[in-house]
Amino acid sequence: MNAPATKVTPISGFPELLPADRLLELHFLDVIREVFELHGFAPLETRAVEPVERLLGKGGDADKEIYGISRLAGDDSGRDAALGLHFDLTVPFARYVLENAGRLAFPFRRYQVQKVWRGERPQEGRFREFTQADIDVVDVGELAPHFEAEMPLVIAEAFGRLPVGEFRIQVNNRKIPEGFFLGIGLTDVVTTLRIVDRLARVGPGPVAEMLVESGASEDQARLVLELAGIRADDLSFVEAVRSLGVSHPTLDEGLEALSAVIAAGMEQAPGVLVADLSIARGLDYYTGTVYETQLVGSESWGSVCSGGRYDSLASDGRTTYPGVGISIGLTRLVHLLVTKRGLTASRSTPAAVLVAVNDEESRGRSRAVAAALRANGIPCEVAPSAAKFGKQIRYADRRGIPFVWFPGAGDDGGDQVKDIRSGEQVDADATTWECPAADLRPTVVPPPA
């Protein structure tokens, strides 16, 4: 008796890529990892779960985003604390530092590429499950400010090697709005920052209304928006802030710190780092420099890479480990480039060669050819059936495989290889044949002009 058919229903917010797009994502990941390692960041992986209590205390509105986990059978023993899936990689990294401080060399530099989970409403480019690629530096007691300039410069190098087009890394320092708000008499800094953080999504009018509703006067709301409107790719932002006539020691500290970051950007990545005083970042643990990254021409996508400095996220009550980090939303970035800019990989398989099969009795010879090609680092696969050669060639063409290898097709009984794009077919030896470098691995294919 046949089992009843089960309808397969997609679950929104949990993306699954087709092979060509996954190969594109892996290419991005390879480039990003290479750049991270070139800068001396060590790889790290942390567990997927953290105590819910820890997650709740570290991320603003995180309680609305955390996925709790439990066994279907239940556990009444009470021995295990409530656990949740991590919503970012910074909170578990801070915990990891505390647990392993005695075995780490500081300043500690790490990169981490893992899945994270957020229980937010799925929409274009925003998912419930996605991959982040983070770098962080933490130290004991104090963290040198030059690390705050290093983070966006590493990202600028990585993005410069990827087919993302022109991009801007927007930088602010939380001490600037904090000192500015205190200087104009707004003492609820956290609430004001959260409201300003919505500026790009809802616009200045609604933000001004929310500020007034939270207790600000109309003049205070106006000044907040004037501060958020300041943007420059050089040090002119300092004078623009000063012209608003507000003073506070914390504001001075923030302007000095941000000036150092922008100055480094002007020297090493001109035009890429931009002082944007509207950048607030909603997570409460940020205390200094904050970053967001947008692709030019696609600003409506929002940020594809963000982060900032945190001074008290990792602390055991005696020792504090301040840090700074930045995170690429890899799934978000690739999804938007695929769906909006038409990027894909040149083929849907790593294989550069399909080894044809003359008949099933001779499949062993085809397997031997494939083994010889793989020994030389050439990805290949053996044809799934001994169909007519035309059908085997069409199979390769559908998958984007550029070459088909024919065992015994030469006049002397040797092998031949065919470039199915040009039709050229030549004698070849699997132990010495070299695949053209451009065809050895899948490449990024830009959209038609």
Side-chain angles (χ1 to χ4, degrees):
M1 182 176 179
N2 293 331
T6 301
K7 183 178 180 181
V8 177
T9 304
I11 303 176
S12 62
F14 294 83
E16 295 176 320
L17 298 175
L18 292 172
D21 297 336
R22 174 59 173 160
L23 286 167
L24 176 68
E25 185 177 56
L26 289 174
H27 169 74
F28 273 55
L29 180 55
D30 288 343
V31 171
I32 290 167
R33 287 180 59 246
E34 180 182 3
V35 172
F36 288 175
E37 292 184 0
L38 283 172
H39 286 264
F41 292 91
L44 185 68
E45 182 171 338
T46 57
R47 66 197 186 205
V49 299
E50 297 290 334
V52 169
E53 181 181 6
R54 179 167 183 80
L55 295 173
L56 287 175
K58 303 299 180 182
D61 293 329
D63 56 325
K64 300 177 182 177
E65 299 184 345
I66 295 171
Y67 278 109
I69 66 170
S70 63
R71 294 197 310 157
L72 290 178
D75 184 0
D76 297 326
S77 67
R79 291 175 296 178
D80 296 326
L83 300 176
L85 295 170
H86 55 225
F87 61 86
D88 74 355
L89 299 180
T90 307
V91 171
F93 172 58
R95 186 266 311 157
Y96 178 93
V97 169
L98 291 176
E99 290 186 1
N100 295 279
R103 294 179 287 177
L104 301 176
F106 293 96
F108 179 51
R109 305 164 66 85
R110 82 85 169 86
Y111 78 85
Q112 195 168 341
V113 180
Q114 281 183 246
K115 296 280 190 182
V116 300
W117 296 268
R118 295 184 184 177
E120 58 184 356
R121 182 175 65 87
Q123 50 189 301
E124 187 173 50
R126 301 187 75 88
F127 305 103
R128 291 171 170 167
E129 178 184 70
F130 53 98
T131 300
Q132 287 187 333
D134 287 24
I135 50 173
D136 284 78
V137 179
V138 296
D139 209 340
V140 182
E142 295 184 6
L143 180 73
H146 63 78
F147 290 118
E148 295 177 57
E150 182 182 2
M151 295 295 107
L153 293 175
V154 174
I155 296 302
E157 182 176 334
F159 274 33
R161 298 187 182 198
L162 293 169
V164 301
E166 192 176 0
F167 60 94
R168 294 286 181 272
I169 302 176
Q170 302 154 297
V171 190
N172 196 5
N173 190 291
R174 288 282 281 261
K175 292 181 179 180
I176 293 176
E178 178 183 349
F180 190 89
F181 300 160
L182 293 173
I184 62 175
L186 292 176
T187 57
D188 191 351
V189 173
V190 172
T191 297
T192 307
L193 277 173
R194 289 181 181 174
I195 293 172
V196 173
D197 193 40
R198 302 181 64 183
L199 187 60
R201 296 190 293 274
V202 302
V207 165
E209 293 177 5
M210 287 186 281
L211 288 170
V212 172
E213 291 173 0
S214 71
S217 68
E218 291 186 0
D219 283 343
Q220 288 172 325
R222 174 182 56 79
L223 285 169
V224 168
L225 289 174
E226 287 186 15
L227 177 73
I230 295 173
R231 193 173 188 271
D233 60 4
D234 55 25
L235 299 180
S236 62
F237 74 91
V238 177
E239 184 57 35
V241 174
R242 296 297 188 197
S243 69
L244 297 179
V246 178
S247 61
H248 193 277
T250 303
L251 174 61
D252 296 339
E253 292 177 20
L255 289 172
E256 181 180 357
L258 183 57
S259 294
V261 175
I262 297 301
M266 292 168 63
E267 179 181 344
Q268 298 186 39
V272 174
L273 270 63
V274 175
D276 187 333
L277 304 194
S278 69
I279 303 302
R281 304 298 301 147
L283 296 174
D284 293 346
Y285 55 67
Y286 291 127
T287 56
T289 304
V290 288
Y291 320 97
E292 289 192 353
T293 306
Q294 293 186 341
L295 305 187
V296 174
S298 302
E299 289 81 2
S300 61
W301 291 358
S303 180
V304 294
C305 177
S306 57
R309 174 164 180 149
Y310 45 91
D311 284 310
S312 57
L313 184 59
S315 176
D316 60 8
R318 300 182 306 274
T319 305
T320 298
Y321 302 87
V324 62
I326 195 165
S327 173
I328 300 171
L330 183 65
T331 303
R332 174 178 174 80
L333 176 63
V334 170
H335 171 81
L336 293 171
L337 289 172
V338 167
T339 60
K340 296 299 183 183
R341 295 193 179 177
L343 288 185
T344 189
S346 56
R347 55 184 185 257
S348 62
T349 173
V353 179
L354 176 73
V355 181
V357 177
N358 296 324
D359 50 56
E360 289 302 328
E361 288 72 23
S362 65
R363 179 173 289 275
R365 179 171 180 177
S366 297
R367 284 199 297 263
V369 168
L373 292 171
R374 292 172 189 139
N376 287 331
I378 300 171
C380 64
E381 62 176 282
V382 178
S385 67
K388 292 182 179 179
F389 285 151
K391 187 173 182 179
Q392 294 187 53
I393 291 172
R394 287 193 296 274
Y395 172 84
D397 185 48
R398 285 196 303 272
R399 307 188 71 195
I401 299 174
F403 296 97
V404 176
W405 195 282
F406 297 102
D411 293 338
D412 59 355
D415 298 350
Q416 290 188 332
V417 63
K418 181 185 185 72
D419 184 334
I420 65 173
R421 299 161 299 185
S422 66
E424 181 184 18
Q425 184 167 330
V426 297
D427 292 338
D429 184 333
T431 62
T432 59
W433 184 73
E434 294 183 3
C435 180
D439 297 317
L440 188 60
R441 306 288 176 189
T443 58
V444 176
V445 177

